[in-house]
């Protein structure tokens, strides 16, 4: 019996081999990879995931876990008829919510925005937030250790985890699902699966830290003098607000120009080449943060760090400012294929990075830059587009690798990372091998071999 037949017997019509219904799941978000698989399965419980994994092992088949399929590195795209695509979107239960300890136990397939809603109903808050939150799933967020828009205050996805349930490559289940803030009982094994991109097991549920729901948001858009002014503004904002800065995003004039051209109805509130979108928030008495924001803006304008600023006066205006930031990836998509980067350097070195990068790229001109990102976390999306009028696909094929090498190597030279928040997937395995020190890489291979000796969990991803 084939693996697909065995899985059909187990799951009925939640196992598909129909090319038409599988098609959307076999291509990645950015259209970089078109894959294939023996079948696509939608288990509904941890026991079913374990049974699928065991059946795959019996048939010597690989398992590719998939969440919302919004990942940027092709990590959830299977690559062959000897692979089974295991989609978690039917595992959406909130298993427990503890309003005293402020924790939630949720299954891997819950969509991030739905998780937000579920906990908000209890006046609680799960801070992980990103432009893809309407589609990405908790399991994918944890498997990629996603970052997003509130890392500065709350940390990456992995930092929000207290416990995990994971189906291991042999079908056994690792369970650390305890809602405990403190539990020093040996190796913190769950950490291995956060950022492992499905190469060590399938995450089926997690216990997450929650926070009191913020009662006040103060959101401002500033036209700043340059990127170094943006970086100077960050510690001022953190100090003057009692460390209530939850988001601190940089947006270049080039990125806004793309937005204006490709996405209807989105116009930046201020002119200029360099912008900051900052947000203060907290669970505080009403209007606690407004005076602090006003003082900060005054200081920024008086010292010349900023030339102008606007403050959101309503929820609509706040959402309008965020829409500008969050639609830049969509604008780039519509402009044609871009060469995306996700680098990080120490925050104080961001101005030097932005000065050196165009010099190093000069030999590869002409090109267009679209630079933006989470500078409060030292994380820039230093994206490169084909010059006006050129074919973006041909440009990327001809120059993409050389451009990425320059952008990544500069980050590495400055003690930074070539992949701050998007992970490795199948796109950056070569870069991981190139940039990791030998001892780190060897230990990664040793761990992979120990946990998945047959190499059946998401092969070809993360480690080549
Ligand atoms: P998928 O794409 O389905 O999978 C990603 C990886 O995780 C794959 O390797 C897959 O095998 C593995 N995986 C998925 N589910 C599981 C599971 N249950 N167990 C084990 N492995 C699993 N990312 C950021 O970090 N910050 C951002 O600000 C951000 N913004 C984005 C904005 C847009 C518009 C888009 C399209 C993407 C953005 N992303 C961002 C990238 C992406 O949304 C994140 O990486 C997200 O965490 C992926 O979740 P997913 O459920 O879509 O995972
Ligand atoms: C963001 O910060 C995402 O908007 C996507 O990480 C970045 O599309 C990109 O380059
Ligand atoms: Zn990002």
């Amino acid at each position: 019996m084939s693996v697909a037949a065995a899985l059909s017997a187990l799951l009925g019509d939640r196992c598909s081999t129909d090319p038409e219904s599988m098609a959307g799941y076999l291509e990645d978000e950015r259209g970089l990879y078109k894959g294939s698989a023996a079948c696509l399965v939608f288990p509904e419980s941890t026991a079913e995931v374990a049974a699928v994994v065991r059946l795959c092992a019996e048939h010597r088949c690989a398992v590719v876990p998939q969440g919302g399929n919004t990942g940027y590195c092709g990590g959830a795209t299977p690559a062959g008829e000897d692979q089974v695509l295991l989609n978690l979107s039917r595992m959406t239960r909130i298993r427990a919510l503890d309003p005293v300890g402020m924790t939630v136990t949720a299954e891997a397939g819950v969509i991030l925005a739905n998780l937000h809603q579920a906990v908000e109903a209890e006046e609680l808050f799960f801070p992980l937030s990103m432009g893809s939150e309407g589609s990405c799933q908790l399991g994918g967020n944890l498997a990629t250790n996603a970052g997003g828009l509130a890392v500065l205050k709350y940390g990456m996805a992995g930092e929000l985890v207290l416990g995990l349930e994971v189906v291991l490559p042999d079908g056994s289940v690792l369970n650390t699902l305890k809602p405990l803030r403190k539990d020093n009982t040996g190796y913190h094994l769950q950490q291995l699966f956060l950022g492992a991109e499905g190469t060590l097991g399938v995450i089926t549920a997690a216990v997450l830290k929650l926070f009191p729901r913020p009662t006040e948001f103060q959101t401002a858009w500033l036209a700043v003098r340059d990127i170094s002014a943006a970086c100077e503004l960050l510690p001022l904002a953190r100090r003057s607000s009692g460390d209530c800065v939850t988001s601190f995003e940089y947006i270049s004039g080039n990125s806004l120009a793309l937005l204006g051209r490709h996405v209807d109805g989105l116009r930046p509130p201020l002119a200029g080449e360099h912008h900051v979108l900052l947000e203060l928030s907290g669970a505080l008495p009403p209007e606690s943060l407004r005076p602090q924001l006003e003082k900060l803006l005054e200081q920024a304008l008086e010292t010349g760090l900023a030339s102008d600023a606007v403050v959101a006066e309503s929820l609509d205006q706040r959402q309008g400012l965020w829409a500008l930031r969050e639609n830049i990836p969509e604008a780039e998509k519509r402009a044609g294929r871009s060469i995306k980067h996700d680098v990080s350097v120490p925050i104080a070195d961001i101005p030097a990075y932005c000065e050196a990068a165009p010099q190093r790229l000069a030999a590869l001109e002409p090109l267009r830059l679209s630079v933006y990102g989470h500078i409060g976390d030292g994380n820039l999306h230093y994206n490169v587009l084909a010059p006006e009028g050129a074919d973006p696909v041909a440009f990327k094929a001809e120059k993409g690798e050389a451009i990425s090498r320059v952008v990544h190597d500069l980050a590495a030279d400055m003690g930074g990372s070539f992949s701050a928040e998007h992970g490795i997937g199948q796109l950056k395995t070569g870069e991981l091998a190139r940039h990791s020190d030998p001892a780190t890489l060897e230990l990664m291979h040793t761990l992979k071999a120990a946990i998945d000796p047959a190499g059946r969990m998401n092969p070809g991803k993360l480690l080549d």
Side-chain angles (χ1 to χ4, degrees), residues 411-431:
D413 291 350
M414 296 178 73
S417 167
F418 70 91
S419 185
E421 59 170 4
H422 294 158
I424 305 296
Q426 52 184 306
L427 181 66
K428 297 183 184 169
T429 51
E431 290 299 75

Side-chain angles (χ1 to χ4, degrees), residues 395-430:
F395 176 77
K396 185 166 178 166
E398 193 193 328
K399 291 192 173 170
E401 215 178 301
I403 287 173
S404 293
R405 196 169 259 257
V406 167
V407 173
H408 291 165
D409 286 359
L410 177 59
D413 291 350
M414 296 178 73
S417 167
F418 70 91
S419 185
E421 59 170 4
H422 294 158
I424 305 296
Q426 52 184 306
L427 181 66
K428 297 183 184 169
T429 51

Side-chain angles (χ1 to χ4, degrees), residues 4-355:
L7 288 168
S8 284
L10 178 75
L11 299 172
D13 64 1
R14 288 182 287 114
C15 171
S16 172
T17 51
D18 169 39
E20 218 173 290
S21 25
M22 287 173 74
Y25 298 89
L26 294 174
E27 188 170 348
D28 74 304
E29 159 73 29
R30 293 175 57 193
L32 300 178
Y33 302 100
K34 274 201 170 73
S36 58
C39 57
L40 164 65
V41 296
F42 294 95
E44 280 179 353
S45 65
T46 304
E48 280 191 354
V49 173
V52 169
V53 169
R54 271 195 301 271
L55 264 177
C56 287
E58 280 166 26
H59 285 81
R60 298 174 186 281
C61 243
V63 177
V64 179
Q66 185 178 70
N69 199 20
T70 67
Y72 262 24
C73 302
T77 310
E81 298 297 323
D82 56 350
Q83 304 195 353
V84 166
L85 183 57
L86 189 163
N87 186 293
L88 276 296
S89 54
R90 298 281 185 107
M91 289 194 62
T92 57
R93 281 187 315 139
I94 304 291
R95 292 189 190 164
L97 204 156
D98 171 4
V100 177
M102 295 198 185
T103 65
V104 64
T105 308
E107 291 187 342
V110 65
I111 288 176
L112 181 56
N114 295 347
L115 182 59
H116 290 159
Q117 275 180 14
V119 305
E120 272 169 26
E122 300 293 328
E123 294 300 317
L124 291 164
F125 177 62
F126 183 60
L128 186 70
S129 162
M130 61 196 80
S132 54
E133 65 194 30
S135 320
C136 65
Q137 299 175 8
L138 175 63
N141 298 149
L142 302 183
T144 56
N145 189 23
L149 304 166
V151 172
L152 173 59
K153 180 77 180 170
Y154 297 102
M156 306 277 281
E159 292 170 66
L160 300 167
V161 173
L162 296 173
L164 273 190
E165 181 184 78
V166 184
V167 173
L168 298 172
D170 64 358
S172 60
V173 180
L174 175 120
N175 186 328
T176 68
L177 283 182
K178 291 182 187 166
L180 302 177
R181 305 259 160 183
K182 291 185 162 180
D183 181 18
N184 272 347
T185 49
Y187 299 142
H188 280 216
L189 293 178
Q190 71 208 25
Q191 294 298 329
L192 286 175
F193 302 90
L194 303 168
E197 301 182 44
T199 60
L200 300 178
V202 185
I203 297 169
T204 46
V207 187
L208 306 166
K209 291 180 201 167
L210 299 177
F211 299 82
R213 188 179 174 185
T215 45
E216 184 177 358
F217 292 93
Q218 294 293 344
T219 312
W221 184 285
L222 294 88
V224 291
R225 188 191 62 221
D226 51 22
I227 195 149
S228 119
C231 292
E232 277 178 55
L233 193 62
L234 173 65
L236 288 182
R238 289 188 67 178
R239 287 212 170 84
S240 66
S241 66
D243 212 6
C244 283
V245 183
T246 26
S247 301
F248 196 91
E249 299 285 313
Y250 170 79
I251 304 130
S252 66
N254 286 353
S255 302
L256 291 175
L258 282 177
L259 197 64
R261 210 170 318 155
H262 298 284
V263 185
D264 282 346
L266 291 179
R267 294 284 169 275
L270 301 172
E273 279 312 300
H274 305 276
H275 302 258
V276 164
L277 173 58
L278 80 82
E279 187 159 275
L280 313 181
S281 71
L284 296 158
E287 296 291 303
S288 301
L289 295 170
R290 182 62 184 236
Q292 299 174 16
L293 178 65
E294 281 170 5
K295 224 185 294 159
L296 173 71
L297 297 184
E298 247 173 60
Q299 199 183 352
L301 294 169
E302 272 166 18
T303 53
L305 291 177
S307 56
D308 209 349
V310 295
V311 177
E313 299 292 352
S314 64
L315 182 60
D316 263 9
Q317 286 182 5
R318 174 179 174 235
Q319 285 168 346
L321 294 181
W322 275 109
L324 292 165
R325 165 63 183 86
E326 289 183 0
N327 274 287
I328 295 171
E330 182 60 26
E332 283 184 3
K333 204 174 190 176
R334 292 185 193 179
R337 191 161 284 196
S338 61
I339 303 163
K340 286 188 178 291
H341 302 105
D342 172 34
V343 297
S344 61
V345 292
I347 298 169
D349 293 336
I350 283 185
Y353 184 93
C354 290
E355 198 182 328

